[in-house]
């Protein structure tokens, strides 16, 4: 171990990634065509330039963990509810996140069943082994969804904060090599679209 949070070994998940290049044969590629494969490869190359830096490893590994089961968004909802005396908004957000999760994880993902680039993540970082398929990213979808709903209640300053957190959580999934870059982009798009509907419902139920 090298002292980084979540670090378990000195070597990447695949020997070919040690020079900044992604694995030569990555599960889940070829499903959406060469343009998507090229995008995923480029994303991994860019993120590999950050992997191994203690601050980046700590940030993205932590973001990936707190994004599990939308924990960070439930925590934000509870904190907002307590500080503003709006328990109703916390309950509505939690309920809507549950619906979003069902749609994405039990609905959309089953249509594609894309393999993840790795099953346990980059060997340098410890992450939970997911039970669902790769496309789209559930973390990215729930992050965009929550940011959209929260932005409907909050002003522009806090809205910027929610979207920044959402971006970090989404990117973290490609960083730890549990998702392809295109999974993250698709998840963000799905979450945004669902979030538009969710925000309208949220403002009606808890204005």
């Amino acid at each position: 171990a090298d002292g980084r949070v979540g670090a378990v070994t000195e070597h990447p998940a695949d020997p070919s990634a040690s020079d900044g290049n992604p694995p030569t044969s990555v599960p889940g590629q070829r499903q959406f065509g060469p343009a998507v494969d090229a995008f995923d490869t480029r994303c991994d190359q860019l993120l590999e330039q950050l992997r191994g830096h203690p601050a980046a490893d700590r940030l993205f590994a932590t973001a990936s963990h707190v994004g599990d089961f939308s924990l960070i968004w439930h925590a934000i909802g509870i904190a907002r509810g307590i500080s503003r005396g709006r328990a109703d908004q916390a309950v509505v957000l939690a309920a809507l996140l549950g619906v979003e999760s069902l749609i994405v994880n039990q609905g959309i993902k089953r249509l594609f069943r894309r393999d993840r680039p790795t099953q346990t993540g980059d060997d340098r970082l410890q992450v939970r082994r997911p039970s669902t398929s790769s496309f789209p990213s559930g973390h990215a979808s729930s992050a965009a969804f929550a940011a959209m709903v929260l932005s409907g209640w909050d002003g522009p300053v806090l809205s910027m904060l929610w979207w920044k957190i959402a971006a970090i959580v989404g990117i973290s999934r490609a960083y730890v090599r549990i998702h392809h870059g295109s999974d993250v982009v698709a998840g963000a798009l799905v979450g945004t679209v669902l979030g538009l509907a969710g925000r309208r419902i949220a403002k009606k139920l808890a204005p």
Side-chain angles (χ1 to χ4, degrees):
D2 60 2
R4 296 196 309 273
V5 169
V8 294
T9 181
E10 298 289 344
H11 302 290
D14 185 282
S16 61
S18 61
D19 59 357
N21 294 317
T24 55
S25 179
V26 180
Q29 287 197 339
R30 300 189 179 92
Q31 184 170 346
F32 297 130
V36 174
D37 290 349
F39 175 81
D40 290 338
T41 296
R42 183 56 179 158
C43 286
D44 192 69
Q45 289 174 336
L46 292 173
L47 292 174
E48 181 60 26
Q49 297 178 27
L50 292 176
R51 294 186 188 109
H53 293 270
D57 284 357
R58 182 182 296 272
L59 173 65
F60 288 114
T62 301
S64 184
H65 284 301
V66 299
D68 287 343
F69 311 110
S70 299
L71 291 176
I72 187 171
W73 304 111
H74 289 296
I76 288 172
I78 292 171
R80 284 182 75 262
I82 293 174
S83 65
R84 302 183 182 196
R86 295 302 306 266
D88 57 334
Q89 291 185 346
V91 171
V92 167
L93 177 62
L96 290 174
L97 280 167
V99 174
E100 180 273 340
S101 178
L102 283 174
I103 293 173
V104 174
N105 292 302
Q106 303 303 321
I108 299 175
K109 280 178 178 277
R110 291 178 181 270
L111 296 176
F112 296 97
R113 298 186 180 277
R114 188 186 195 186
D115 289 335
R116 294 177 181 273
T118 69
Q119 290 300 310
T120 57
D122 191 292
D123 286 348
R124 293 166 289 186
L125 303 162
Q126 290 179 336
V127 295
R128 181 182 64 86
R129 180 169 184 162
S131 59
T132 57
S133 55
S134 193
F135 185 90
S137 165
H139 279 58
S141 178
S142 64
F145 180 87
M148 184 65 74
V149 173
L150 290 168
S151 295
W153 285 322
D154 298 329
V157 175
L158 278 178
S159 294
M160 289 179 61
L161 174 61
W162 306 143
W163 282 105
K164 288 178 180 178
I165 295 173
I168 292 171
V169 170
I171 293 170
S172 75
R173 301 302 277 171
Y175 187 92
V176 301
R177 283 199 171 113
I178 279 293
H179 275 292
H180 304 277
S182 55
D183 299 337
V184 174
V185 173
L189 290 174
V190 169
T192 299
V193 171
L194 293 176
L196 288 171
R199 180 161 68 180
R200 295 184 65 179
I201 296 172
K203 294 184 78 171
K204 288 182 177 179
L205 295 177

